[in-house]
Amino acid sequence: MRSIIVFLMFAFVVFSTHSQQNQKKYKIRTIGFYNLENLFDTKNDPKKNDEASPIMEMKGDKEEVYWDKIHKLGEVISQLGEEKTHTSPAILGVAEVENKKVLEDLVKSEKLKKKRYDIIHFDSPDKRGIDVGLLYQPRYFKPIHFEAFNPNIYDQNRKIYTRDILLVSGYLDDELIHVIVNHWPSRRGGEAKSRPLREKAAYKVKQIIEKIKESDPNPKVLIMGDFNDDPINSSFKTVLETKSKKKNVKEGDIYNPYEDMFRRGFNTLGYRDNINLFDQIMFTSPLLENGKKDFSNYKMFKSGIFNKRFLTQKNGRFKGYPFRSFSYGRYTGGYSDHYPVYMYLIKED
Protein backbone atom coordinates (compact mmCIF):
# COMPACT_ATOMS: atom_id res chain seq x y z
CA MET A 1 0.00 0.00 0.00
CA ARG A 2 2.82 2.36 0.91
CA SER A 3 4.50 1.66 -2.47
CA ILE A 4 1.29 2.62 -4.28
CA ILE A 5 1.03 5.91 -2.36
CA VAL A 6 4.68 6.77 -3.10
CA PHE A 7 4.17 5.98 -6.80
CA LEU A 8 1.04 8.16 -6.99
CA MET A 9 2.85 11.05 -5.29
CA PHE A 10 5.76 10.72 -7.72
CA ALA A 11 3.40 10.62 -10.72
CA PHE A 12 1.61 13.76 -9.47
CA VAL A 13 4.90 15.66 -9.10
CA VAL A 14 6.08 14.59 -12.59
CA PHE A 15 2.70 15.54 -14.15
CA SER A 16 2.63 18.94 -12.39
CA THR A 17 6.19 19.74 -13.48
CA HIS A 18 5.41 18.69 -17.07
CA SER A 19 2.25 20.87 -17.09
CA GLN A 20 4.13 23.92 -15.82
CA GLN A 21 6.84 23.45 -18.44
CA ASN A 22 4.23 23.24 -21.21
CA GLN A 23 2.04 26.07 -19.97
CA LYS A 24 1.71 28.66 -22.72
CA LYS A 25 2.02 32.39 -22.19
CA TYR A 26 -0.05 34.88 -24.12
CA LYS A 27 0.06 38.54 -25.10
CA ILE A 28 -3.28 40.24 -24.66
CA ARG A 29 -4.29 43.65 -26.04
CA THR A 30 -7.49 45.62 -25.60
CA ILE A 31 -9.12 47.29 -28.60
CA GLY A 32 -11.91 49.72 -27.72
CA PHE A 33 -14.39 52.28 -28.98
CA TYR A 34 -16.11 55.06 -27.04
CA ASN A 35 -18.60 57.74 -28.05
CA LEU A 36 -17.52 60.59 -25.75
CA GLU A 37 -20.87 62.47 -25.95
CA ASN A 38 -20.23 65.98 -27.19
CA LEU A 39 -16.66 66.45 -26.03
CA PHE A 40 -16.45 70.11 -27.06
CA ASP A 41 -14.22 72.84 -25.72
CA THR A 42 -15.60 76.14 -24.39
CA LYS A 43 -14.36 78.37 -27.22
CA ASN A 44 -16.58 79.44 -30.09
CA ASP A 45 -15.24 78.38 -33.49
CA PRO A 46 -16.76 80.69 -36.15
CA LYS A 47 -16.22 77.99 -38.81
CA LYS A 48 -18.51 75.52 -37.03
CA ASN A 49 -21.95 75.44 -35.50
CA ASP A 50 -20.39 74.49 -32.19
CA GLU A 51 -22.77 76.88 -30.40
CA ALA A 52 -25.29 74.05 -30.64
CA SER A 53 -23.18 71.79 -28.42
CA PRO A 54 -24.56 71.27 -24.89
CA ILE A 55 -21.57 72.82 -23.12
CA MET A 56 -21.83 76.03 -25.16
CA GLU A 57 -25.56 76.31 -24.43
CA MET A 58 -25.01 75.97 -20.69
CA LYS A 59 -25.10 78.76 -18.17
CA GLY A 60 -22.48 78.81 -15.45
CA ASP A 61 -18.83 77.82 -15.31
CA LYS A 62 -18.23 76.04 -18.61
CA GLU A 63 -14.50 75.55 -17.90
CA GLU A 64 -15.22 73.69 -14.66
CA VAL A 65 -17.69 71.43 -16.47
CA TYR A 66 -15.25 70.80 -19.31
CA TRP A 67 -12.41 69.68 -17.04
CA ASP A 68 -14.72 67.56 -14.92
CA LYS A 69 -15.91 65.76 -18.05
CA ILE A 70 -12.32 65.29 -19.24
CA HIS A 71 -11.43 63.77 -15.86
CA LYS A 72 -14.43 61.42 -15.89
CA LEU A 73 -13.81 60.19 -19.42
CA GLY A 74 -10.16 59.56 -18.56
CA GLU A 75 -11.27 57.52 -15.57
CA VAL A 76 -13.48 55.30 -17.76
CA ILE A 77 -10.85 54.78 -20.45
CA SER A 78 -8.22 53.90 -17.82
CA GLN A 79 -10.42 51.01 -16.66
CA LEU A 80 -11.31 49.70 -20.12
CA GLY A 81 -9.57 46.34 -20.44
CA GLU A 82 -7.48 46.93 -17.31
CA GLU A 83 -8.85 43.82 -15.62
CA LYS A 84 -7.12 41.48 -18.10
CA THR A 85 -4.24 43.54 -19.48
CA HIS A 86 -3.36 45.74 -16.47
CA THR A 87 -3.47 48.77 -18.73
CA SER A 88 -5.97 50.75 -20.79
CA PRO A 89 -6.67 50.01 -24.48
CA ALA A 90 -3.75 49.66 -26.86
CA ILE A 91 -6.07 51.19 -29.48
CA LEU A 92 -9.20 53.25 -28.81
CA GLY A 93 -11.50 54.71 -31.46
CA VAL A 94 -13.52 57.74 -30.33
CA ALA A 95 -16.48 59.72 -31.63
CA GLU A 96 -18.23 63.03 -30.88
CA VAL A 97 -15.07 65.06 -30.36
CA GLU A 98 -14.79 68.65 -31.57
CA ASN A 99 -11.10 68.84 -32.42
CA LYS A 100 -7.64 67.50 -31.70
CA LYS A 101 -7.21 69.86 -28.73
CA VAL A 102 -9.91 68.13 -26.66
CA LEU A 103 -8.19 64.79 -27.31
CA GLU A 104 -4.86 66.26 -26.24
CA ASP A 105 -6.49 67.40 -22.99
CA LEU A 106 -8.01 63.94 -22.55
CA VAL A 107 -4.77 61.97 -22.96
CA LYS A 108 -3.00 64.36 -20.56
CA SER A 109 -5.65 63.82 -17.87
CA GLU A 110 -4.60 62.36 -14.53
CA LYS A 111 -5.66 58.77 -15.25
CA LEU A 112 -4.19 58.60 -18.75
CA LYS A 113 -1.05 60.72 -18.84
CA LYS A 114 1.29 57.87 -17.89
CA LYS A 115 0.03 55.82 -20.87
CA ARG A 116 1.53 58.39 -23.28
CA TYR A 117 -1.25 58.06 -25.84
CA ASP A 118 -0.72 59.46 -29.32
CA ILE A 119 -3.59 60.82 -31.41
CA ILE A 120 -4.78 60.51 -35.01
CA HIS A 121 -7.47 63.03 -35.94
CA PHE A 122 -8.82 64.89 -38.97
CA ASP A 123 -11.33 67.73 -38.98
CA SER A 124 -14.47 66.39 -40.63
CA PRO A 125 -17.06 68.24 -42.75
CA ASP A 126 -19.79 67.68 -40.15
CA LYS A 127 -21.68 70.96 -39.69
CA ARG A 128 -21.40 70.91 -35.91
CA GLY A 129 -17.75 69.95 -36.13
CA ILE A 130 -18.20 66.47 -34.65
CA ASP A 131 -15.23 64.24 -35.52
CA VAL A 132 -13.92 60.73 -34.97
CA GLY A 133 -10.38 59.96 -33.88
CA LEU A 134 -8.00 57.27 -32.72
CA LEU A 135 -5.91 57.09 -29.54
CA TYR A 136 -3.12 54.53 -29.29
CA GLN A 137 -0.27 53.52 -27.03
CA PRO A 138 2.92 53.65 -29.18
CA ARG A 139 4.55 50.87 -27.18
CA TYR A 140 1.93 48.47 -28.61
CA PHE A 141 0.76 50.01 -31.90
CA LYS A 142 2.79 51.76 -34.60
CA PRO A 143 0.77 53.41 -37.41
CA ILE A 144 2.21 53.39 -40.92
CA HIS A 145 -0.71 54.98 -42.80
CA PHE A 146 -3.81 56.97 -41.89
CA GLU A 147 -6.43 58.58 -44.08
CA ALA A 148 -9.87 60.19 -43.78
CA PHE A 149 -12.56 59.17 -46.27
CA ASN A 150 -15.57 61.36 -46.95
CA PRO A 151 -18.54 59.01 -47.41
CA ASN A 152 -19.97 61.38 -50.08
CA ILE A 153 -23.57 60.85 -49.06
CA TYR A 154 -26.35 62.65 -50.90
CA ASP A 155 -30.06 62.77 -50.11
CA GLN A 156 -32.27 63.99 -52.95
CA ASN A 157 -29.26 65.63 -54.61
CA ARG A 158 -28.38 67.40 -51.35
CA LYS A 159 -24.95 66.80 -49.83
CA ILE A 160 -25.09 65.37 -46.30
CA TYR A 161 -22.25 66.87 -44.26
CA THR A 162 -21.53 64.01 -41.91
CA ARG A 163 -18.45 62.59 -40.24
CA ASP A 164 -15.48 61.24 -42.16
CA ILE A 165 -14.56 57.58 -41.92
CA LEU A 166 -11.05 57.18 -40.51
CA LEU A 167 -8.68 54.45 -41.65
CA VAL A 168 -5.50 53.74 -39.65
CA SER A 169 -3.13 50.94 -40.69
CA GLY A 170 -0.21 49.86 -38.56
CA TYR A 171 1.53 47.17 -36.58
CA LEU A 172 0.06 45.82 -33.37
CA ASP A 173 3.29 44.47 -31.97
CA ASP A 174 4.55 42.76 -35.16
CA GLU A 175 1.21 42.18 -36.94
CA LEU A 176 -0.29 44.43 -39.60
CA ILE A 177 -3.86 45.44 -38.79
CA HIS A 178 -6.26 48.03 -40.21
CA VAL A 179 -8.69 50.00 -38.04
CA ILE A 180 -11.72 51.77 -39.54
CA VAL A 181 -13.42 54.26 -37.18
CA ASN A 182 -17.01 55.28 -37.95
CA HIS A 183 -19.78 57.59 -36.79
CA TRP A 184 -22.57 57.07 -39.31
CA PRO A 185 -25.48 59.49 -39.98
CA SER A 186 -28.07 59.73 -37.23
CA ARG A 187 -31.67 58.57 -37.29
CA ARG A 188 -32.98 62.11 -37.36
CA GLY A 189 -36.28 62.06 -39.26
CA GLY A 190 -36.88 58.42 -38.39
CA GLU A 191 -35.05 55.11 -38.84
CA ALA A 192 -36.69 54.19 -42.15
CA LYS A 193 -36.24 57.60 -43.77
CA SER A 194 -32.58 57.88 -42.74
CA ARG A 195 -31.71 54.24 -43.44
CA PRO A 196 -30.28 54.85 -46.96
CA LEU A 197 -27.74 57.28 -45.49
CA ARG A 198 -26.24 54.61 -43.26
CA GLU A 199 -26.36 52.06 -46.05
CA LYS A 200 -24.25 54.47 -48.15
CA ALA A 201 -21.80 54.85 -45.26
CA ALA A 202 -21.58 51.05 -45.05
CA TYR A 203 -20.88 50.88 -48.77
CA LYS A 204 -18.01 53.33 -48.29
CA VAL A 205 -16.57 51.00 -45.63
CA LYS A 206 -16.83 48.16 -48.12
CA GLN A 207 -14.89 50.26 -50.65
CA ILE A 208 -12.20 51.04 -48.06
CA ILE A 209 -11.74 47.32 -47.35
CA GLU A 210 -11.36 46.65 -51.08
CA LYS A 211 -8.72 49.39 -51.23
CA ILE A 212 -6.85 47.74 -48.33
CA LYS A 213 -6.89 44.41 -50.19
CA GLU A 214 -4.93 45.92 -53.07
CA SER A 215 -1.78 45.73 -50.91
CA ASP A 216 -2.90 43.26 -48.22
CA PRO A 217 -4.98 40.49 -49.87
CA ASN A 218 -6.34 38.86 -46.69
CA PRO A 219 -6.27 41.76 -44.24
CA LYS A 220 -6.97 41.91 -40.53
CA VAL A 221 -9.54 44.70 -40.41
CA LEU A 222 -11.30 46.03 -37.31
CA ILE A 223 -14.45 48.04 -38.07
CA MET A 224 -15.59 50.04 -35.05
CA GLY A 225 -17.87 52.92 -34.30
CA ASP A 226 -21.19 54.43 -33.37
CA PHE A 227 -23.12 53.23 -36.39
CA ASN A 228 -26.55 54.56 -35.41
CA ASP A 229 -27.76 51.13 -36.49
CA ASP A 230 -28.27 47.89 -34.62
CA PRO A 231 -26.35 44.77 -35.73
CA ILE A 232 -29.42 43.32 -37.48
CA ASN A 233 -30.05 46.36 -39.71
CA SER A 234 -29.58 46.31 -43.49
CA SER A 235 -26.38 48.37 -43.42
CA PHE A 236 -24.69 45.38 -41.80
CA LYS A 237 -26.67 42.37 -42.99
CA THR A 238 -27.21 43.46 -46.62
CA VAL A 239 -24.35 45.83 -47.45
CA LEU A 240 -21.45 44.53 -45.34
CA GLU A 241 -22.96 41.02 -45.15
CA THR A 242 -21.81 40.53 -41.57
CA LYS A 243 -22.00 37.10 -39.98
CA SER A 244 -23.14 36.39 -36.42
CA LYS A 245 -22.10 32.72 -36.21
CA LYS A 246 -18.46 31.71 -36.35
CA LYS A 247 -19.22 28.56 -38.34
CA ASN A 248 -20.64 30.66 -41.19
CA VAL A 249 -17.58 32.89 -41.54
CA LYS A 250 -15.56 32.25 -44.69
CA GLU A 251 -12.33 33.91 -45.84
CA GLY A 252 -12.94 37.62 -46.35
CA ASP A 253 -16.18 37.69 -44.36
CA ILE A 254 -16.89 40.05 -41.48
CA TYR A 255 -17.81 38.59 -38.10
CA ASN A 256 -19.92 40.71 -35.74
CA PRO A 257 -20.03 39.38 -32.17
CA TYR A 258 -22.41 42.16 -31.17
CA GLU A 259 -25.31 40.71 -33.17
CA ASP A 260 -25.66 37.84 -30.70
CA MET A 261 -25.38 40.30 -27.78
CA PHE A 262 -28.16 42.41 -29.29
CA ARG A 263 -30.45 39.40 -29.70
CA ARG A 264 -29.83 38.59 -26.03
CA GLY A 265 -30.97 42.07 -24.97
CA PHE A 266 -27.68 43.91 -24.45
CA ASN A 267 -27.41 47.59 -25.34
CA THR A 268 -25.00 50.52 -25.43
CA LEU A 269 -27.58 53.33 -25.25
CA GLY A 270 -31.24 54.04 -24.69
CA TYR A 271 -33.52 56.52 -26.42
CA ARG A 272 -37.26 57.16 -25.99
CA ASP A 273 -37.82 53.94 -24.06
CA ASN A 274 -36.00 51.88 -26.70
CA ILE A 275 -32.63 50.23 -26.24
CA ASN A 276 -30.09 50.07 -29.03
CA LEU A 277 -26.68 48.57 -29.63
CA PHE A 278 -25.21 51.18 -31.98
CA ASP A 279 -21.63 50.86 -30.68
CA GLN A 280 -19.84 47.81 -32.05
CA ILE A 281 -16.49 46.34 -33.08
CA MET A 282 -16.56 43.77 -35.89
CA PHE A 283 -13.66 42.26 -37.80
CA THR A 284 -12.57 40.23 -40.81
CA SER A 285 -12.00 36.47 -40.80
CA PRO A 286 -8.20 36.35 -40.11
CA LEU A 287 -8.86 37.64 -36.57
CA LEU A 288 -11.40 34.91 -35.82
CA GLU A 289 -10.26 31.81 -33.94
CA ASN A 290 -11.30 28.94 -36.21
CA GLY A 291 -11.72 26.23 -33.59
CA LYS A 292 -8.18 24.89 -33.93
CA LYS A 293 -6.97 26.83 -30.88
CA ASP A 294 -4.27 28.39 -33.02
CA PHE A 295 -3.14 31.62 -31.38
CA SER A 296 0.21 31.94 -33.11
CA ASN A 297 -1.21 35.20 -34.51
CA TYR A 298 -3.63 37.64 -32.89
CA LYS A 299 -7.18 36.34 -32.60
CA MET A 300 -10.30 37.65 -30.87
CA PHE A 301 -10.56 36.16 -27.39
CA LYS A 302 -13.58 38.09 -26.08
CA SER A 303 -15.84 41.01 -27.04
CA GLY A 304 -17.91 42.99 -24.60
CA ILE A 305 -19.74 46.11 -23.45
CA PHE A 306 -18.19 48.07 -20.59
CA ASN A 307 -21.37 48.76 -18.62
CA LYS A 308 -20.19 48.98 -15.03
CA ARG A 309 -22.70 50.17 -12.41
CA PHE A 310 -21.07 53.58 -12.01
CA LEU A 311 -21.70 54.24 -15.71
CA THR A 312 -25.44 53.68 -15.38
CA GLN A 313 -28.07 56.25 -14.36
CA LYS A 314 -29.54 55.25 -10.98
CA ASN A 315 -32.76 57.28 -11.01
CA GLY A 316 -34.91 59.78 -12.89
CA ARG A 317 -36.12 59.76 -16.46
CA PHE A 318 -33.00 58.01 -17.78
CA LYS A 319 -32.84 55.36 -15.05
CA GLY A 320 -31.06 52.25 -16.36
CA TYR A 321 -29.53 54.10 -19.31
CA PRO A 322 -25.85 55.11 -19.61
CA PHE A 323 -25.13 57.98 -17.19
CA ARG A 324 -25.05 60.89 -19.63
CA SER A 325 -23.16 64.16 -19.24
CA PHE A 326 -25.83 66.58 -20.39
CA SER A 327 -29.61 66.75 -20.02
CA TYR A 328 -32.01 69.60 -20.73
CA GLY A 329 -29.31 72.23 -20.91
CA ARG A 330 -27.50 71.27 -17.72
CA TYR A 331 -24.49 69.20 -16.77
CA THR A 332 -25.43 66.04 -14.88
CA GLY A 333 -21.95 65.01 -13.74
CA GLY A 334 -22.21 61.83 -15.79
CA TYR A 335 -19.86 60.25 -18.31
CA SER A 336 -21.49 59.61 -21.69
CA ASP A 337 -24.87 58.60 -23.11
CA HIS A 338 -23.12 55.56 -24.64
CA TYR A 339 -21.33 52.64 -23.02
CA PRO A 340 -17.87 51.91 -24.45
CA VAL A 341 -17.27 48.59 -26.20
CA TYR A 342 -14.11 46.52 -26.31
CA MET A 343 -12.49 43.32 -27.45
CA TYR A 344 -9.44 41.37 -26.34
CA LEU A 345 -6.95 40.12 -28.91
CA ILE A 346 -4.56 37.39 -27.77
CA LYS A 347 -1.59 35.51 -29.22
CA GLU A 348 1.07 33.17 -27.93
CA ASP A 349 4.00 35.09 -26.50
Side-chain angles (χ1 to χ4, degrees):
M1 184 67 179
R2 183 178 177 184
S3 299
I4 295 174
I5 293 172
V6 170
F7 171 78
L8 289 174
M9 290 176 65
F10 174 78
F12 175 76
V13 170
V14 170
F15 176 77
S16 298
T17 303
H18 180 76
S19 297
Q20 290 170 5
Q21 289 173 345
N22 287 276
Q23 191 174 34
K24 293 180 179 179
K25 293 182 179 180
Y26 294 89
K27 289 181 180 178
I28 179 166
R29 306 286 182 242
T30 306
I31 311 295
F33 173 81
Y34 198 8
N35 180 317
L36 303 179
E37 192 201 352
N38 290 298
L39 182 56
F40 278 65
D41 62 28
T42 61
K43 298 175 177 61
N44 180 29
D45 185 340
K47 297 179 182 178
K48 305 174 184 174
N49 185 26
D50 58 350
E51 299 93 334
S53 65
I55 197 166
M56 294 297 286
E57 293 179 334
M58 281 180 47
K59 296 178 181 178
D61 193 339
K62 294 181 177 62
E63 283 290 319
E64 182 180 352
V65 167
Y66 173 74
W67 289 109
D68 189 63
K69 182 171 172 64
I70 287 285
H71 170 77
K72 284 186 163 68
L73 292 173
E75 182 180 7
V76 177
I77 294 167
S78 72
Q79 295 185 37
L80 194 57
E82 198 273 339
E83 180 182 3
K84 298 291 185 185
T85 65
H86 307 296
T87 187
S88 51
I91 298 171
L92 179 73
V94 293
E96 286 200 16
V97 299
E98 183 184 9
N99 49 41
K100 189 174 183 179
K101 179 63 167 61
V102 300
L103 292 177
E104 289 172 343
D105 290 341
L106 177 61
V107 300
K108 291 175 184 175
S109 62
E110 185 64 30
K111 297 287 185 176
L112 296 181
K113 61 185 180 182
K114 291 183 180 179
K115 314 296 184 188
R116 301 186 182 277
Y117 276 105
D118 276 350
I119 300 164
I120 296 175
H121 167 272
F122 292 91
D123 286 315
S124 79
D126 182 87
K127 286 186 176 180
R128 277 188 55 211
I130 295 177
D131 305 333
V132 299
L134 192 85
L135 311 181
Y136 64 95
Q137 295 194 52
R139 57 179 167 162
Y140 302 128
F141 181 66
K142 293 176 173 54
I144 58 171
H145 175 78
F146 42 91
E147 185 175 356
F149 292 83
N150 190 309
N152 289 319
I153 298 173
Y154 288 82
D155 183 21
Q156 298 178 352
N157 296 319
R158 181 173 62 89
K159 174 83 170 181
I160 302 298
Y161 291 96
T162 189
R163 280 73 62 174
D164 283 334
I165 297 172
L166 175 63
L167 166 66
V168 181
S169 301
Y171 286 90
L172 181 63
D173 297 312
D174 59 348
E175 292 189 27
L176 179 62
I177 67 167
H178 312 272
V179 184
I180 302 175
V181 187
N182 302 263
H183 188 188
W184 289 357
S186 75
R187 293 189 169 193
R188 186 176 293 109
E191 187 278 326
K193 183 179 179 181
S194 60
R195 185 184 306 153
L197 308 182
R198 290 181 296 282
E199 289 176 340
K200 290 171 184 175
Y203 182 69
K204 175 57 72 173
V205 170
K206 198 168 187 176
Q207 289 180 315
I208 294 170
I209 294 172
E210 290 306 310
K211 179 180 174 66
I212 292 169
K213 287 180 179 178
E214 292 174 6
S215 57
D216 188 3
N218 192 24
K220 298 174 181 177
V221 184
L222 294 149
I223 306 156
M224 62 174 64
D226 172 2
F227 298 98
N228 277 303
D229 261 345
D230 291 315
I232 60 171
N233 289 132
S234 57
S235 55
F236 298 118
K237 303 307 293 179
T238 303
V239 181
L240 291 176
E241 301 179 276
T242 55
K243 302 295 191 295
S244 63
K245 296 186 183 300
K246 294 180 181 180
K247 65 180 181 180
N248 295 333
V249 178
K250 298 180 177 61
E251 183 175 312
D253 284 347
I254 297 169
Y255 174 65
N256 188 358
Y258 288 85
E259 183 173 343
D260 181 60
M261 294 184 212
F262 179 69
R263 294 185 187 281
R264 290 188 286 131
F266 288 90
N267 69 294
T268 58
L269 73 156
Y271 181 67
R272 293 183 177 176
D273 297 326
N274 293 318
I275 61 170
N276 296 100
L277 210 168
F278 289 170
D279 308 85
Q280 305 160 53
I281 305 174
M282 57 205 77
F283 52 90
T284 52
S285 56
L287 288 165
L288 182 65
E289 199 281 310
N290 57 10
K292 297 179 180 179
K293 305 300 180 185
D294 177 10
F295 290 98
S296 55
N297 296 302
Y298 273 120
K299 298 288 194 304
M300 189 272 290
F301 174 66
K302 176 186 176 182
S303 295
I305 300 166
F306 192 72
N307 53 2
K308 299 294 186 183
R309 286 175 59 91
F310 75 94
L311 289 176
T312 302
Q313 182 74 44
K314 304 297 189 299
N315 48 49
R317 179 179 178 182
F318 300 109
K319 182 179 180 180
Y321 291 174
F323 188 9
R324 61 196 303 132
S325 298
F326 302 101
S327 178
Y328 299 105
R330 67 182 184 86
Y331 181 60
T332 65
Y335 300 83
S336 172
D337 55 353
H338 291 245
Y339 292 129
V341 292
Y342 67 93
M343 64 181 290
Y344 292 127
L345 293 177
I346 64 169
K347 68 179 293 187
E348 290 178 24
D349 198 353

